[in-house]
């Protein structure tokens, strides 16, 4: 078992609770993105034993973060939204140089690769213009249609989780179920959590196979698109001119420093 993946999973799970942050982006920050995709794809295949050691500690870390930190993240976003988002902003910006290095862009990137990078960055940046209004959480009893929506919302969120720049929580916001999901996690509403979890599982099985195929057969193009998604996510995440300039600056620099240290360790 690769127990170092516990802390990686904690970071990924925490990020998935924040609308605008993708667990896939944090996997990129940690330098494990391509391996993560192979592990997710492999764990649902006949060769699952090869990937369990990598995958299980990661999933445990993600699960622990989601179940234990949902209230804290919800509080931080309510009380200190801008400094919290500036921290993640620094984390993402700080890893971009390491990501270029991992892609070996000097050897492999041509004009067409930069074209794909720019296009993917623009497409993700357009998400900042999407309505982010937060609806009210659902009541105690759910209809069949709401259960179906929870399942497909989990599916949609899982696909977003492993794509850098696309936040699973943001997709839940677009589906109108984000408050309901956060409430289910913070109050441990088991039935709702199981329905969402099944949707996440199905989504991971399908999307991981597609992304793994792209990394295997078109690595340079895939890296170019991934870098573009990460760069574009900066625009989506940007919380505007800070009200508390000093605190936001401190958290932003903290994110940059942690990204640099993670880059030195992980890359």
């Amino acid at each position: 078992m690769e127990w170092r993946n516990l802390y990686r999973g904690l970071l990924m799970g925490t990020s998935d609770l924040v609308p605008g942050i993708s667990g896939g982006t944090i996997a990129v920050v940690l330098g494990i993105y391509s391996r993560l995709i192979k592990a997710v794809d492999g764990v649902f295949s006949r060769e699952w034993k090869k990937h369990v050691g990598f995958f299980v500690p990661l999933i445990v870390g993600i699960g622990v973060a989601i179940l234990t930190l949902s209230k804290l993240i919800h509080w931080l976003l309510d009380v200190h939204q801008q400094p919290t988002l500036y921290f993640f902003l620094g984390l993402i910006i700080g890893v971009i140089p390491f990501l270029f290095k991992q892609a070996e862009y000097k050897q492999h990137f041509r004009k067409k690769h930069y074209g794909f990078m720019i296009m993917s960055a623009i497409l993700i940046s357009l998400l900042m213009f999407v309505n982010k209004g937060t609806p009210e959480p659902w009541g105690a009893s759910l209809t069949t249609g709401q259960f179906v929506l929870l399942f497909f919302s989990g599916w949609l969120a899982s696909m977003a989780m492993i794509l850098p720049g696309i936040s699973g929580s943001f997709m839940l916001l677009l589906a109108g179920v984000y408050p309901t999901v956060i409430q289910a996690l913070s109050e441990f509403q088991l039935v709702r959590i199981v329905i969402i979890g099944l949707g996440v599982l199905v989504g991971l099985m399908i999307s991981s196979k597609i992304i793994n195929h792209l990394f295997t057969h078109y690595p340079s193009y895939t890296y170019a698109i991934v870098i573009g998604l990460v760069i574009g996510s900066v625009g989506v995440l940007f919380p505007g001119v800070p009200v508390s300039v000093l605190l936001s600056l401190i958290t932003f620099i903290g994110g940059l420093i942690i990204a640099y240290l993670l880059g030195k360790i992980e890359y």
Side-chain angles (χ1 to χ4, degrees):
M1 292 289 180
E2 296 188 35
W3 294 113
R4 188 163 71 164
N5 277 357
L6 278 173
Y7 97 86
R8 291 166 169 165
L10 286 170
L11 288 175
M12 289 178 64
T14 302
S15 70
D16 280 323
L17 292 169
V18 182
I21 304 290
S22 165
T25 303
I26 300 302
V28 171
V29 170
L30 295 171
I32 61 168
Y33 184 72
S34 60
R35 191 176 177 194
L36 168 66
I37 297 301
K38 290 178 180 178
V40 174
D41 183 29
V43 83
F44 296 115
S45 69
R46 293 179 180 178
E47 299 180 345
W48 60 272
K49 291 182 180 179
K50 295 181 181 179
H51 304 281
V52 167
F54 176 89
F55 193 68
V56 170
L58 196 70
I59 289 298
V60 170
I62 291 173
V64 169
I66 289 175
L67 292 175
T68 61
L69 298 179
S70 56
K71 288 184 179 180
L72 174 62
I73 296 298
H74 189 64
W75 178 81
L76 285 173
L77 290 175
D78 273 348
V79 182
H80 301 289
Q81 184 184 56
Q82 283 191 323
T84 302
L85 293 180
Y86 267 102
F87 170 78
F88 283 104
L89 202 64
L91 195 66
I92 293 170
I93 292 174
V95 80
I96 291 175
F98 291 104
L99 187 54
F100 270 103
K101 184 177 180 180
Q102 189 182 42
E104 298 180 340
Y105 74 101
K106 290 183 178 179
Q107 291 83 7
H108 302 297
F109 279 18
R110 303 293 182 265
K111 288 182 179 179
K112 52 189 176 182
H113 295 97
Y114 290 106
F116 275 92
M117 185 190 307
I118 293 170
M119 284 191 294
S120 61
I122 292 173
L123 286 173
I124 290 300
S125 297
L126 292 176
L127 289 177
M128 73 177 73
F129 301 108
V130 177
N131 180 24
K132 300 181 184 181
T134 305
E136 293 295 320
W138 295 341
S141 60
L142 302 185
T143 65
T144 302
Q146 287 175 321
F147 275 117
V148 172
L149 180 57
L150 276 182
F151 174 81
F152 282 104
S153 295
W155 183 331
L156 188 65
S158 72
M159 294 173 67
M161 282 178 202
I162 59 175
L163 283 174
I166 305 177
S167 162
S169 292
F170 183 76
M171 300 309 291
L172 292 177
L173 271 177
L174 294 183
V177 299
Y178 178 73
T180 300
V181 172
I182 288 296
Q183 184 184 66
L185 293 171
S186 60
E187 298 178 5
F188 200 70
Q189 298 171 347
L190 187 59
V191 174
R192 300 186 186 190
I193 291 173
V194 169
I195 295 296
I196 298 163
L198 288 173
V200 168
L201 187 64
V202 173
L204 286 175
M205 289 174 63
I206 295 174
S207 54
S208 63
K209 290 186 179 297
I210 295 171
I211 299 173
N212 188 38
H213 176 81
L214 292 174
F215 263 111
T216 302
H217 298 282
Y218 310 99
S220 296
Y221 285 103
T222 307
Y223 266 116
I225 292 171
V226 166
I227 294 172
L229 293 174
V230 173
I231 293 173
S233 70
V234 172
V236 177
L237 181 62
F238 182 65
V241 178
V243 176
S244 177
V245 177
L246 181 59
L247 183 58
S248 295
L249 181 62
I250 291 172
T251 56
F252 177 74
I253 293 174
L256 286 174
I257 292 172
I258 290 176
Y260 175 78
L261 295 175
L262 286 173
K264 286 292 185 182
I265 295 169
E266 300 286 357
Y267 287 82

